[in-house]
Amino acid sequence: MQWRGRRQSSNVEDRRGGGGMFGGGGRMGGPMRIPVRGAGGGLGITGIIILLIAAWIFGINPLELLSGGGSLGGGGGQTQSRTVDTKASDEMTQFVSTVLAETEDTWNGIFQAEGQTYKEPRMVLFSRQVQSACGTASSASGPFYCPNDQRVYLDTTFFQQLDQQFGASGDFAQAYVIAHEVGHHVQNLTGILPRFNQMRQSMSPEEANRMSVRVELQADCFAGVWAHYTDQKGLLEKGDVEEALNAATQIGDDTLQKRSQGYVVPDSFNHGTSAQRRSWFQRGVQNGRLSDCDTFNNPV
Ligand SMILES: [Zn+2]
């Protein structure tokens, strides 16, 4: 992805170690704002909002994990020299801030085209452990979105894990992870997550899992919609979409379970299989239409 030199979001909070290896925050969020809107006409967010709210939407695990409960393992602490860490951290901070800014531009545009206002989420970078309005989370949980404080939480060492442990490398694999979490924010704004959270209380665990899969696949599709507009801006490089598709594949429930326990338990799936995640991301990418992301009224 051609991200260097583009606007960085000012919605990033760096809560990584107070004066530790990573040093202070405050570097992100460059002052220059390049107004790039990724909106296309007639996307029909009104339509999708109606469609989604009307659909059966159910709760989500408040600590919504990108890739399935607990199966991410405990990311072993990388030990590198201070210099390397700081440099890598800066680069990573710039990258995630730029990707977040790109999602802001795209979703601002999509909402605007429908006469709606997109309230931008914030992103918290943390190391090891973090306190969110959805509870305390550790790095082992993977990235998540907390609807209660409308923040995406990310320990960027997850990206090393994504690469080394899950075989999903490339900057666009990482961008997909961020765009997926932002997709949950869009679901929150459009009423899907609140509805889901409310309704899941009266569901069996199996039913809740099945509904969770639909919520997750929609977030994948929304990530695809974002990728579509990013591509239209000419920012995608050869192989980027494949990197995202591979990431979606590597963190499918079935693939994760096979890797961790050698067999799969479909009833316990809450994010969707590799094939499903690939396919819904791809749907979003194809035309960038939100209406293609109705995982509630279509077979998944
Ligand atoms: Zn998710």
Side-chain angles (χ1 to χ4, degrees), residues 135-190:
T136 305
S138 79
S139 305
S141 311
F144 65 96
Y145 172 73
C146 172
N148 300 346
D149 56 20
Q150 305 203 356
R151 280 169 166 77
V152 170
Y153 289 86
L154 178 67
D155 181 339
T156 51
T157 58
F158 172 77
F159 291 146
Q160 291 165 11
Q161 207 180 353
L162 192 64
D163 179 359
Q164 291 159 16
Q165 231 170 298
F166 297 96
S169 60
D171 59 2
F172 213 67
Q174 301 168 356
Y176 153 72
V177 168
I178 294 168
H180 171 98
E181 298 306 338
V182 170
H184 285 313
H185 176 65
V186 172
Q187 292 177 315
N188 193 26
L189 294 182
T190 51

Side-chain angles (χ1 to χ4, degrees), residues 221-274:
C221 189
F222 285 174
V225 167
W226 171 74
H228 175 88
Y229 287 104
T230 308
D231 189 26
Q232 286 205 331
K233 290 183 203 165
L235 301 184
L236 292 203
E237 296 166 320
K238 202 166 153 42
D240 275 350
V241 169
E242 286 69 26
E243 286 174 4
L245 285 171
N246 177 50
T249 306
Q250 298 303 335
I251 58 179
D253 285 328
D254 50 342
T255 303
L256 286 179
Q257 287 190 357
K258 258 182 241 160
R259 190 177 287 138
S260 64
Q261 63 198 25
Y263 57 93
V264 300
V265 185
D267 263 354
S268 70
F269 290 174
N270 53 18
H271 280 66
T273 64
S274 296

Side-chain angles (χ1 to χ4, degrees), residues 60 64-68 143-145 176-177 180-181 183-184 187 212 215-217 219-220 270-271 277:
I60 199 165
E64 198 290 303
L65 313 181
L66 176 85
S67 43
F144 65 96
Y145 172 73
Y176 153 72
V177 168
H180 171 98
E181 298 306 338
H184 285 313
Q187 292 177 315
S212 167
V215 171
E216 292 302 327
L217 294 175
D220 283 336
N270 53 18
H271 280 66
R277 300 198 71 167

